[in-house]
Amino acid sequence: MHTCRLCNRSFSTELELELHRDTCGEDELLCGECGERFSEAAATRDGWHYRCPNDDCDGEGIKEDLYRVADARLAEQQ
């Protein structure tokens, strides 16, 4: 069994996992403050200002407290 580290989905082959990784987290954000992962749509009302949708968290701003999962994945590989 092969499991994606980003979303915890499991795949029966390594090829299926590799194909999944190409699109996993494409439109998702990760909060550096609380560690929560969520869609971009959940984090913004106007498409310009972003904040963590977790009521107990003050994280806001792309590349300030919020990071695109796809960008985090690229940084992890380097």
Side-chain angles (χ1 to χ4, degrees):
M1 198 56 77
H2 304 274
T3 304
C4 176
R5 290 183 287 161
L6 296 175
C7 69
N8 291 324
R9 284 187 57 193
S10 295
F11 301 90
S12 57
T13 68
E14 189 171 349
L15 177 60
E16 287 177 329
L17 173 61
E18 290 297 322
L19 292 172
H20 163 76
R21 282 186 185 157
D22 290 340
T23 58
C24 182
E26 238 174 39
D27 68 339
E28 292 190 328
L29 299 174
L30 177 67
C31 180
E33 290 289 313
C34 70
E36 190 169 328
R37 186 174 162 177
F38 42 85
S39 70
E40 281 190 45
T44 186
R45 291 187 180 160
D46 61 8
W48 188 256
H49 299 94
Y50 291 82
R51 72 177 281 125
C52 181
N54 182 344
D55 292 335
D56 298 328
C57 182
D58 294 326
E60 61 184 353
I62 301 291
K63 295 187 180 176
E64 291 176 28
D65 295 323
L66 308 179
Y67 303 92
R68 297 188 194 289
V69 170
D71 292 345
R73 184 173 62 215
L74 288 175
E76 182 180 286
Q77 291 175 353
Q78 293 178 352

